[in-house]
Amino acid sequence: MAIQHFSPALPVPAVSAAYPMAKPGYGKRSAPDQQPRTPHDFALLPARERYIAGFVDHLPDGAAMSVKQLTKQLPLYGQQAIGTSLNALSVAGHLRRVRCPVGTGDETRWAFRTFWSRTARDNAWWTTYLATETAVRTATPAHPTAPTTAPEAPASPDSAAPPQPPAPTAVPLQRTPPDAAPDTATATAATASPPAPAAPADSTALPAAFSPASRFSPAYLALAELGRKDTRLTLSAHDCTTLEPQAAEWLARGVTTDYLITALTSGLPTHVDCPPRFVRHRLTGRIPPHQPTPPDTNTPPPTRHLLVECTDCGRPGPPEALPHGLCRPCHRAHTSGADTPPDPTQIAAVKAHMANLRHLLKAP
């Protein structure tokens, strides 16, 4: 018995196993919260749009969605027919083309995606979804990072190393007199008293917290380093303490200790009579200006927003500026098309222009 088909549309073509996938940053992306697939999907669409929508719906995420690639897989229609059908699917709420900037600095490029929804959505839903962070993450291609350490290969049972024996327990050494007999030494070891506890650490030793690097400021240590750099600027402990506030003012202006030492030891005269007075004069006369504050490198990366592309001409814009996924000129041409009758005044103007041209041709 023949089976009656209620739908005049052609059956959905099978997706080829070798269907090309798009490059990273391009291709199809499925919208969330779609209804389960049923045989009556896209029933309200015309036959051609229903046929193409069924094919696109079965494509995996990341598949190429260009008009040329769809034309190769759907030989029943040409590029013009498929492009017109994609415009109709965009108006029906099943499709949106977007672009998103990826990369940082001079390496920024555009990533193109085609969001597809089996369930028809209105403009408000698409505008809200494309403005969310989830849509931005979905549209941005993921760049897998290489692991910092190579994974360890599992060791085979044959090549497994034998278990290491436990480390021997440390046993205190027993002294044996040189002239003692073997049996006497054994008896002495057996009856020896337990070793005396270790002597407590010397309480006079300075802990690491009281090292010179922690007890003195960087300005003091920089002044003390002058004598090692050049013996003509050898300073005493009292001189370093006296000149420490002036050296600290240099460091407060953003310079380093190396810069301070270089500024004080460069261009020295042959003989320095009084190193403290000479260093004080240079600290006062060569004080640097305040260094500019370095820019904050911890600023968060700029927020990336999706731009919706016109499905027909590819003009980008925010989601609210492209209702139904079409720019205003393409939307006006798609909704009106050839149904709008021409303006009678324009017809009269064209006829008058043509009559004038004929009259000019007849003139001698």
Side-chain angles (χ1 to χ4, degrees), residues 125-142:
W125 188 94
W126 279 113
T127 302
T128 304
Y129 171 68
L130 295 178
T132 59
E133 187 67 22
T134 304
V136 176
R137 287 197 304 266
T138 305
T140 305

Side-chain angles (χ1 to χ4, degrees), residues 60-364:
D61 281 2
M65 284 289 295
S66 64
V67 175
K68 291 184 178 180
Q69 199 58 245
L70 292 175
T71 306
K72 293 180 182 179
Q73 301 295 325
L74 301 174
L76 293 179
Y77 304 107
Q79 294 186 19
Q80 185 68 26
I82 290 182
T84 304
S85 298
L86 293 180
N87 295 342
L89 293 176
S90 180
V91 173
H94 296 284
L95 181 143
R96 287 292 187 275
R97 294 191 185 273
V98 301
R99 63 169 65 178
C100 177
V102 296
T104 56
D106 298 335
E107 299 180 356
T108 304
R109 62 182 180 86
W110 288 102
F112 298 87
R113 295 290 193 191
T114 300
F115 280 95
W116 174 261
S117 175
R118 185 184 314 110
T119 304
R121 309 290 189 178
D122 55 5
N123 292 323
W125 188 94
W126 279 113
T127 302
T128 304
Y129 171 68
L130 295 178
T132 59
E133 187 67 22
T134 304
V136 176
R137 287 197 304 266
T138 305
T140 305
H143 297 281
T145 56
T148 55
T149 58
E152 298 180 359
S156 59
D158 299 337
S159 61
Q164 297 293 338
T169 306
V171 180
L173 298 178
Q174 304 294 332
R175 290 178 177 266
T176 303
D179 54 349
D183 55 347
T184 306
T186 305
T188 304
T191 59
S193 59
D202 186 6
S203 58
T204 60
L206 292 176
F210 293 95
S211 60
S214 60
R215 287 189 294 134
F216 300 103
S217 65
Y220 183 96
L221 296 177
L223 294 173
E225 187 71 16
L226 295 178
R228 299 181 58 184
K229 295 294 183 181
D230 198 309
T231 56
R232 290 172 289 182
L233 295 183
T234 302
L235 302 176
S236 64
H238 177 73
D239 298 335
C240 293
T241 305
T242 305
L243 299 174
E244 181 181 358
Q246 291 181 272
E249 178 64 21
W250 280 55
L251 301 181
R253 291 175 178 251
V255 301
T256 61
T257 55
D258 294 337
Y259 180 90
L260 173 62
I261 295 173
T262 304
L264 297 178
T265 57
S266 61
L268 294 177
T270 307
H271 181 70
V272 179
D273 295 329
C274 183
R277 186 169 60 249
F278 182 84
V279 173
R280 181 184 297 107
H281 176 72
R282 285 205 165 183
L283 287 174
T284 305
R286 293 190 176 186
I287 185 168
H290 289 278
Q291 299 294 327
T293 304
D296 188 9
T297 58
N298 296 328
T299 55
T303 305
R304 303 188 182 277
H305 300 284
L306 294 179
L307 291 179
V308 179
E309 279 191 342
C310 176
T311 310
D312 191 6
C313 65
R315 180 181 301 176
E320 57 274 7
L322 281 82
H324 303 293
L326 298 174
C327 62
R328 297 188 184 278
C330 296
H331 186 271
R332 189 181 304 110
H334 180 80
T335 54
S336 59
D339 298 336
T340 303
D343 190 1
T345 57
Q346 296 180 356
I347 298 177
V350 171
K351 291 182 177 181
H353 181 67
M354 295 301 298
N356 186 30
L357 292 177
R358 296 189 189 96
H359 178 71
L360 294 176
L361 292 175
K362 293 179 181 179

